[in-house]
Amino acid sequence: MLRVEEINVTYGKAVALMDVSLHLERGELVTLLGSNGAGKSTLLKCVSGIKPPIKGRTIFDGEEIQKLPSHKIVQRGIIHVPEGRAVFPDLTVEENLRMGAFCRKDENAVRKDMDFVFALLPRLQERINQSAGTLSGGEAQMLAIGRGLLAEPKLLMLDEPSLGLAPVLRDNIFAVIRQIYQEKDITILLVEQNARWALQVAARGYVLENGRIRLEDTGEKLAANPHVQRAYLGY
Amino acid sequence: MESLFLQQTLNGLIIGSIYSLIAIGLTMIFGVMKISNFAHGDYSMVGAYTAVFLMAWVPGWMGWVGSIIAAAAVVGILGIVTERLIFRPLIGRWTDIDIIMVSIGLFILLENLAQLFFGATPQMISDPFKGATVHIGGVSTSVLRVFCFGFSCIAIGALQIFLNRSKLGVAIRATSQNRFAAQLMGVDINLIYTLTFWVGAALAGVAGVLYGTTFAVHPLMGAMPTLKAFVVTILGGMGNIRGAIFGGFILGIAESLGGNYLAMEYQHAIGFFIIILVLLLRPRGLFGAKEGT
Ligand SMILES: Nc1ncnc2c1ncn2[C@@H]1O[C@H](COP(=O)(O)OP(=O)(O)OP(=O)(O)O)[C@@H](O)[C@H]1O
Ligand SMILES: [Mg+2]
C-alpha cells in the first residue's frame, strides 16, 4: 500500500533521513521505533507531503506521491495525526472534527463517521461545543485522533499518541487505537514511545536510528532482539 | 454636556467601524501568514481613488454604492496580486523583519505610483446625500455617516458569518491557529493565503471609500489607516479577528472622546498612547488569549 524507497530528507545542511526505505501492506499495523531526534516525525512529514524528500520516492497505491502537495496526499487517504496533538485551540470540538472532514463532500458519510467517533470517544461528545484549547491533554489527544478518523483514512499515521499522558489515559488511548484497527478497514503506521506496547500490537516494526533504518522485523522478533531490549525496552 | 458626550461617542462609533474594517484584514493576514503588511492602508487609498473616479462618472448615491462594490473588486484583485507576486515567494524563506521591510517598500511604491497617476492634489469623494443630516435625541450626524456605519457593520457581519459558518472560513481560522495542522487536514495553504489577502484587501478597499468621504483623498492618505489598523491589531491581539472588531470601536471612541475632553491636537496620539499601555500591561492584546499558537 505504501512504499518508501531510499528517501533522503534534510533541514538546511542537516540530514534528518538517509536512504530510508519501508513498506506497509494493506491492513497492516506497523510500528516505527527510535529515540528522540531519530527522524520519526520527519518520516511522517515526508510521507504526508509537509517535508518532501530531496531524493527517493514514496509510492502509495502504486502511484508516486512524493512530489504532491500535502492536500493532494490527504485526498488520497493518507492521514497524519501529528505529535503533540496540534488541535485548533480556538475552534470548538465540533469545528475541529469538521476540519478533519475538510476534503470530504458526502455529508451523510461524514455524519456516520462523526457518530462512530462519538461512540468511540464519548468524552468528545460531552465537550462538543467547548473550545479545544480548554481540553485536558488526554481529551486533546482523543480529539486529534477523532479528527484524523473523520478524514476517512486509508493509511493512518499516528505520531506518539501517548506522549505526556498519565498511565491510565495512556492505556485508554492504546485501547482506542486497538479498537480503531479492529473495526475499520485501515492501515496504521504507529510511532510510539512505549515500545513494549507498540511491539505487542504491531505485526511488524522498524527501528530508526540517526536517520537510518537500523532494524526491520516482526514485532515479536524485535521484542526479543537484544539491541531493542537494551535501547527501547529498558532491560 | 451629556449630549456632547453622546455626540462624541456616536462619532467615535462611526469612525471606529471603519477602523475595524481596515484592521480585520490586517489581523487576518497576520494570523494566517504571519506577515505585518505596512502597505495595508494603501489598499484603502486605492479604494478611495476608485470611488473618486467612478463618482466622476456616476454621481449621487448610485455612484457611491457602486464605488463600494467596485472598490471591493479592484482592491481585492490588488490584494491577490500583491500576495502572489510579492509575499508568497518570500514566506518561509525570508525572516519576518525582511518581509516587513518589503511591505514598507510596497507602501512607498504604491504611494509613488498613485502620485504619478493621480497627481498630488487632494480630492474629495462628493457627498451623495448632499450634506443631509439626521437628529436623534440631542445628537446629530450626517446621513452619509449613518450609511458609512451601516456599510461597515454589514461588511463586518458578513465576514463573521463567512468565518464562522462556511467551510473555507473555518479553514482560515484553523490555519491562523495552526498552519501545520491545517495542512494535515487537507487544506490547500496557498489557496488560504490568496483568499485571506483577497478578503482582507477588499475590506480595506471598502473602508477606503468610507474613510475618503470623511477625509481628503490623496496619494499619501494610506499611512494613517495603516497606523490606526496596527494600533487596533495590537490592542485586540495580533491575529485575533474579534479583537480587531472591538479594538476598532474602542480606538474610535477613545480618539473621539479624548479629542474632545483633552485637546483636538492629541487625537491621533491617543491611539499610540493606548499601544504603549497595552504593550506594557497586556502584550497579547485585550482579546489575545490563545490565538496564534
Ligand atoms: N524544523 C526543523 N528544522 C531543523 N531541524 C529539524 C527540524 N525538525 C526536526 N529537525 C531535526 O531533524 C532530526 C529528526 O527530528 P524528528 O523530529 O524527525 O525526530 P523524532 O524521531 O520525531 O524525535 P522525537 O522522538 O523527539 O519526536 C532531529 O535532529 C531534529 O533536530
Ligand atoms: Mg517526533
Side-chain angles (χ1 to χ4, degrees):
Chain A
M1 170 171 238
L2 176 74
R3 187 165 283 283
V4 173
E5 292 180 352
E6 302 186 335
I7 53 161
N8 284 10
V9 176
T10 53
Y11 293 104
K13 288 208 177 76
V15 179
L17 294 177
M18 182 81 173
D19 281 328
V20 169
S21 300
L22 63 76
H23 66 95
L24 275 89
E25 302 310 322
R26 198 193 163 104
E28 265 191 318
L29 197 167
V30 172
T31 188
L32 179 63
L33 303 181
S35 48
N36 293 116
K40 306 177 297 293
S41 300
T42 302
L43 179 55
L44 300 197
K45 284 181 190 167
C46 177
V47 173
S48 56
I50 300 288
K51 186 74 192 137
I54 57 162
K55 173 192 146 265
R57 307 193 297 169
T58 53
I59 296 161
F60 185 66
D61 282 343
E63 286 175 69
E64 282 192 24
I65 57 165
Q66 76 274 3
K67 291 208 178 72
L68 295 180
S70 53
H71 65 276
K72 289 269 162 59
I73 292 178
V74 170
Q75 283 164 15
R76 287 173 185 237
I78 300 184
I79 307 303
H80 174 177
V81 176
E83 190 176 359
R85 356 256 192 243
V87 297
F88 304 112
D90 291 338
L91 300 190
T92 64
V93 167
E94 184 172 16
E95 286 174 321
N96 266 275
L97 292 171
R98 292 230 154 249
M99 277 307 295
F102 183 78
C103 291
R104 296 172 67 184
K105 304 257 155 19
D106 183 350
E107 186 56 32
N108 284 331
V110 171
R111 204 52 266 169
K112 255 195 191 148
D113 282 354
M114 198 77 108
D115 292 340
F116 175 83
V117 166
F118 286 145
L120 186 71
L121 307 162
R123 277 303 266 277
L124 294 184
Q125 186 154 32
E126 289 165 28
R127 318 218 167 240
I128 185 160
N129 291 319
Q130 210 167 305
S131 65
T134 64
L135 297 180
S136 71
E139 289 165 346
Q141 184 60 59
M142 290 183 183
L143 179 56
I145 292 175
R147 190 179 61 175
L149 288 177
L150 271 162
E152 208 178 19
K154 288 186 197 151
L155 168 62
L156 186 64
M157 304 193 292
L158 298 167
D159 197 351
E160 308 208 13
S162 75
L163 188 70
L165 297 185
V168 183
L169 291 171
R170 191 189 63 198
D171 293 346
N172 203 341
I173 291 285
F174 289 166
V176 163
I177 294 169
R178 220 185 257 274
Q179 200 178 343
I180 293 167
Y181 183 58
Q182 279 160 4
E183 292 184 18
K184 290 253 163 196
D185 173 23
I186 203 169
T187 308
I188 296 182
L189 178 57
L190 174 69
V191 173
E192 177 51 53
Q193 288 275 312
N194 191 316
R196 193 181 309 267
W197 179 76
L199 290 174
Q200 265 173 31
V201 291
R204 294 187 305 114
Y206 292 85
V207 176
L208 191 62
E209 284 177 6
N210 293 322
R212 291 167 181 273
I213 298 285
R214 160 104 186 235
L215 291 166
E216 165 188 1
D217 216 325
T218 62
E220 248 167 59
K221 287 209 177 117
L222 282 178
N225 180 302
H227 174 72
V228 173
Q229 290 186 342
R230 225 176 315 111
Y232 303 103
L233 297 172
Y235 289 140
Chain B
M1 182 68 203
E2 195 170 289
S3 81
L4 188 63
F5 177 80
L6 285 178
Q7 179 69 52
Q8 293 301 341
T9 308
L10 178 69
N11 293 349
L13 271 178
I14 293 169
I15 186 71
S17 70
I18 299 176
Y19 290 161
S20 296
L21 209 50
I22 302 172
I24 287 171
L26 186 73
T27 214
M28 271 174 68
I29 290 167
F30 180 83
V32 169
M33 300 173 79
K34 307 292 174 266
I35 286 175
S36 302
N37 183 7
F38 277 82
H40 196 70
D42 292 297
Y43 297 140
S44 299
M45 181 267 288
V46 176
Y49 271 106
T50 308
V52 168
F53 286 108
L54 197 92
M55 288 189 72
W57 266 36
V58 191
W61 66 268
M62 266 176 61
W64 193 61
V65 174
S67 297
I68 289 173
I69 296 163
V74 169
V75 181
I77 292 169
L78 178 65
I80 292 176
V81 170
T82 48
E83 189 270 326
R84 292 297 295 267
L85 292 186
I86 298 172
F87 292 111
R88 182 156 343 147
L90 307 182
I91 196 169
R93 297 209 177 86
W94 288 26
T95 65
D96 292 355
I97 290 289
D98 290 340
I99 294 178
I100 286 177
M101 298 314 280
V102 168
S103 83
I104 293 174
L106 176 64
F107 151 64
I108 295 168
L109 177 75
L110 288 174
E111 274 193 349
N112 283 283
L113 284 177
Q115 295 215 1
L116 186 65
F117 290 111
F118 309 143
T121 325
Q123 318 225 27
M124 286 301 295
I125 296 175
S126 52
D127 181 350
F129 305 101
K130 304 192 172 62
T133 55
V134 282
H135 305 268
I136 330 146
V139 295
S140 68
T141 189
S142 63
V143 176
L144 176 65
R145 289 177 147 225
V146 172
F147 271 88
C148 282
F149 183 71
F151 273 116
S152 296
C153 291
I154 290 170
I156 292 169
L159 181 79
Q160 282 295 89
I161 291 171
F162 168 67
L163 290 175
N164 291 319
R165 300 284 159 78
S166 78
K167 212 166 169 173
L168 274 175
V170 176
I172 289 180
R173 287 161 58 213
T175 306
S176 137
Q177 289 164 38
N178 193 324
R179 188 190 299 182
F180 167 54
Q183 281 175 285
L184 295 183
M185 306 295 109
V187 173
D188 178 353
I189 212 78
N190 286 324
L191 178 76
I192 295 293
Y193 290 166
T194 304
L195 185 65
T196 304
F197 252 89
W198 178 39
V199 172
L203 290 177
V206 169
V209 179
L210 308 180
Y211 195 83
T213 46
T214 314
F215 304 99
V217 178
H218 58 91
L220 311 183
M221 70 178 277
M224 199 49 103
T226 299
L227 291 176
K228 295 289 160 78
F230 269 100
V231 173
V232 170
T233 301
I234 291 168
L235 182 64
M238 303 285 282
N240 187 326
I241 291 158
R242 198 174 311 142
I245 296 172
F246 286 113
F249 285 105
I250 291 172
L251 177 65
I253 292 170
E255 276 187 0
S256 182
L257 290 178
N260 186 55
Y261 290 108
L262 301 174
M264 210 51 203
E265 300 82 58
Y266 294 144
Q267 194 172 20
H268 293 306
I270 287 168
F272 301 99
F273 182 64
I274 292 177
I275 283 203
I276 293 170
L277 275 187
V278 169
L279 289 179
L280 279 176
L281 302 177
R282 203 179 149 84
R284 284 164 155 184
L286 295 183
F287 302 87
K290 261 180 248 84
E291 207 142 357
T293 21

